[in-house]
PDB file of all heavy atoms in Angstrom:
ATOM      1  N   GLY F 271      -5.747  -2.177  16.819  1.00  0.00           N
ATOM      2  CA  GLY F 271      -4.886  -1.425  17.730  1.00  0.00           C
ATOM      3  C   GLY F 271      -5.431  -1.511  19.141  1.00  0.00           C
ATOM      4  O   GLY F 271      -5.558  -2.588  19.714  1.00  0.00           O
ATOM      5  N   GLU F 272      -5.776  -0.370  19.722  1.00  0.00           N
ATOM      6  CA  GLU F 272      -6.398  -0.400  21.049  1.00  0.00           C
ATOM      7  C   GLU F 272      -7.747  -1.093  20.952  1.00  0.00           C
ATOM      8  O   GLU F 272      -8.482  -0.953  19.973  1.00  0.00           O
ATOM      9  CB  GLU F 272      -6.555   1.024  21.586  1.00  0.00           C
ATOM     10  CG  GLU F 272      -5.229   1.699  21.891  1.00  0.00           C
ATOM     11  CD  GLU F 272      -5.411   3.113  22.416  1.00  0.00           C
ATOM     12  OE1 GLU F 272      -6.568   3.497  22.700  1.00  0.00           O
ATOM     13  OE2 GLU F 272      -4.405   3.821  22.541  1.00  0.00           O
ATOM     14  N   ALA F 273      -8.084  -1.845  21.999  1.00  0.00           N
ATOM     15  CA  ALA F 273      -9.277  -2.691  21.956  1.00  0.00           C
ATOM     16  C   ALA F 273     -10.573  -1.909  21.958  1.00  0.00           C
ATOM     17  O   ALA F 273     -11.621  -2.437  21.595  1.00  0.00           O
ATOM     18  CB  ALA F 273      -9.268  -3.652  23.138  1.00  0.00           C
ATOM     19  N   GLY F 274     -10.528  -0.647  22.369  1.00  0.00           N
ATOM     20  CA  GLY F 274     -11.742   0.146  22.389  1.00  0.00           C
ATOM     21  C   GLY F 274     -12.486   0.043  23.699  1.00  0.00           C
ATOM     22  O   GLY F 274     -11.916  -0.209  24.755  1.00  0.00           O
ATOM     23  N   TYR F 275     -13.803   0.181  23.607  1.00  0.00           N
ATOM     24  CA  TYR F 275     -14.659   0.263  24.786  1.00  0.00           C
ATOM     25  C   TYR F 275     -14.839  -1.107  25.437  1.00  0.00           C
ATOM     26  O   TYR F 275     -15.232  -2.071  24.785  1.00  0.00           O
ATOM     27  CB  TYR F 275     -16.021   0.827  24.370  1.00  0.00           C
ATOM     28  CG  TYR F 275     -16.982   1.066  25.510  1.00  0.00           C
ATOM     29  CD1 TYR F 275     -16.780   2.114  26.396  1.00  0.00           C
ATOM     30  CD2 TYR F 275     -18.095   0.255  25.680  1.00  0.00           C
ATOM     31  CE1 TYR F 275     -17.659   2.350  27.435  1.00  0.00           C
ATOM     32  CE2 TYR F 275     -18.992   0.477  26.719  1.00  0.00           C
ATOM     33  CZ  TYR F 275     -18.770   1.524  27.597  1.00  0.00           C
ATOM     34  OH  TYR F 275     -19.641   1.749  28.630  1.00  0.00           O
ATOM     35  N   LEU F 276     -14.547  -1.212  26.738  1.00  0.00           N
ATOM     36  CA  LEU F 276     -14.739  -2.455  27.482  1.00  0.00           C
ATOM     37  C   LEU F 276     -16.116  -2.446  28.133  1.00  0.00           C
ATOM     38  O   LEU F 276     -16.530  -1.452  28.737  1.00  0.00           O
ATOM     39  CB  LEU F 276     -13.657  -2.616  28.549  1.00  0.00           C
ATOM     40  CG  LEU F 276     -12.223  -2.732  28.034  1.00  0.00           C
ATOM     41  CD1 LEU F 276     -11.258  -2.915  29.192  1.00  0.00           C
ATOM     42  CD2 LEU F 276     -12.076  -3.871  27.034  1.00  0.00           C
ATOM     43  N   HIS F 277     -16.813  -3.560  28.053  1.00  0.00           N
ATOM     44  CA  HIS F 277     -18.187  -3.642  28.537  1.00  0.00           C
ATOM     45  C   HIS F 277     -18.194  -4.226  29.952  1.00  0.00           C
ATOM     46  O   HIS F 277     -18.428  -5.418  30.158  1.00  0.00           O
ATOM     47  CB  HIS F 277     -19.025  -4.463  27.569  1.00  0.00           C
ATOM     48  CG  HIS F 277     -19.216  -3.776  26.260  1.00  0.00           C
ATOM     49  ND1 HIS F 277     -20.347  -3.069  25.932  1.00  0.00           N
ATOM     50  CD2 HIS F 277     -18.380  -3.638  25.195  1.00  0.00           C
ATOM     51  CE1 HIS F 277     -20.220  -2.544  24.733  1.00  0.00           C
ATOM     52  NE2 HIS F 277     -19.037  -2.878  24.258  1.00  0.00           N
ATOM     53  N   LEU F 278     -17.945  -3.358  30.922  1.00  0.00           N
ATOM     54  CA  LEU F 278     -17.908  -3.771  32.321  1.00  0.00           C
ATOM     55  C   LEU F 278     -19.299  -3.750  32.956  1.00  0.00           C
ATOM     56  O   LEU F 278     -19.525  -4.420  33.960  1.00  0.00           O
ATOM     57  CB  LEU F 278     -16.964  -2.854  33.102  1.00  0.00           C
ATOM     58  CG  LEU F 278     -15.530  -2.780  32.560  1.00  0.00           C
ATOM     59  CD1 LEU F 278     -14.715  -1.780  33.365  1.00  0.00           C
ATOM     60  CD2 LEU F 278     -14.872  -4.146  32.581  1.00  0.00           C
ATOM     61  N   ASP F 279     -20.215  -2.997  32.383  1.00  0.00           N
ATOM     62  CA  ASP F 279     -21.583  -2.900  32.887  1.00  0.00           C
ATOM     63  C   ASP F 279     -22.316  -4.208  32.564  1.00  0.00           C
ATOM     64  O   ASP F 279     -22.543  -4.517  31.393  1.00  0.00           O
ATOM     65  CB  ASP F 279     -22.283  -1.718  32.215  1.00  0.00           C
ATOM     66  CG  ASP F 279     -23.706  -1.515  32.695  1.00  0.00           C
ATOM     67  OD1 ASP F 279     -24.203  -2.365  33.459  1.00  0.00           O
ATOM     68  OD2 ASP F 279     -24.327  -0.517  32.290  1.00  0.00           O
ATOM     69  N   PRO F 280     -22.717  -5.001  33.558  1.00  0.00           N
ATOM     70  CA  PRO F 280     -23.288  -6.321  33.279  1.00  0.00           C
ATOM     71  C   PRO F 280     -24.676  -6.308  32.649  1.00  0.00           C
ATOM     72  O   PRO F 280     -25.098  -7.310  32.073  1.00  0.00           O
ATOM     73  CB  PRO F 280     -23.330  -6.991  34.657  1.00  0.00           C
ATOM     74  CG  PRO F 280     -23.423  -5.850  35.614  1.00  0.00           C
ATOM     75  CD  PRO F 280     -22.605  -4.745  35.009  1.00  0.00           C
ATOM     76  N   ASP F 281     -25.399  -5.176  32.773  1.00  0.00           N
ATOM     77  CA  ASP F 281     -26.729  -5.137  32.164  1.00  0.00           C
ATOM     78  C   ASP F 281     -26.871  -3.955  31.206  1.00  0.00           C
ATOM     79  O   ASP F 281     -27.941  -3.372  31.062  1.00  0.00           O
ATOM     80  CB  ASP F 281     -27.832  -5.109  33.228  1.00  0.00           C
ATOM     81  CG  ASP F 281     -27.757  -3.874  34.125  1.00  0.00           C
ATOM     82  OD1 ASP F 281     -26.752  -3.134  34.037  1.00  0.00           O
ATOM     83  OD2 ASP F 281     -28.704  -3.653  34.902  1.00  0.00           O
ATOM     84  N   ALA F 282     -25.771  -3.624  30.536  1.00  0.00           N
ATOM     85  CA  ALA F 282     -25.795  -2.529  29.568  1.00  0.00           C
ATOM     86  C   ALA F 282     -26.723  -2.870  28.408  1.00  0.00           C
ATOM     87  O   ALA F 282     -26.810  -4.024  27.979  1.00  0.00           O
ATOM     88  CB  ALA F 282     -24.388  -2.245  29.049  1.00  0.00           C
TER      89      ALA F 282
END
Side-chain angles (χ1 to χ4, degrees):
E272 293 180 9
Y275 184 72
L276 297 181
H277 292 261
L278 304 177
D279 181 353
D281 62 351

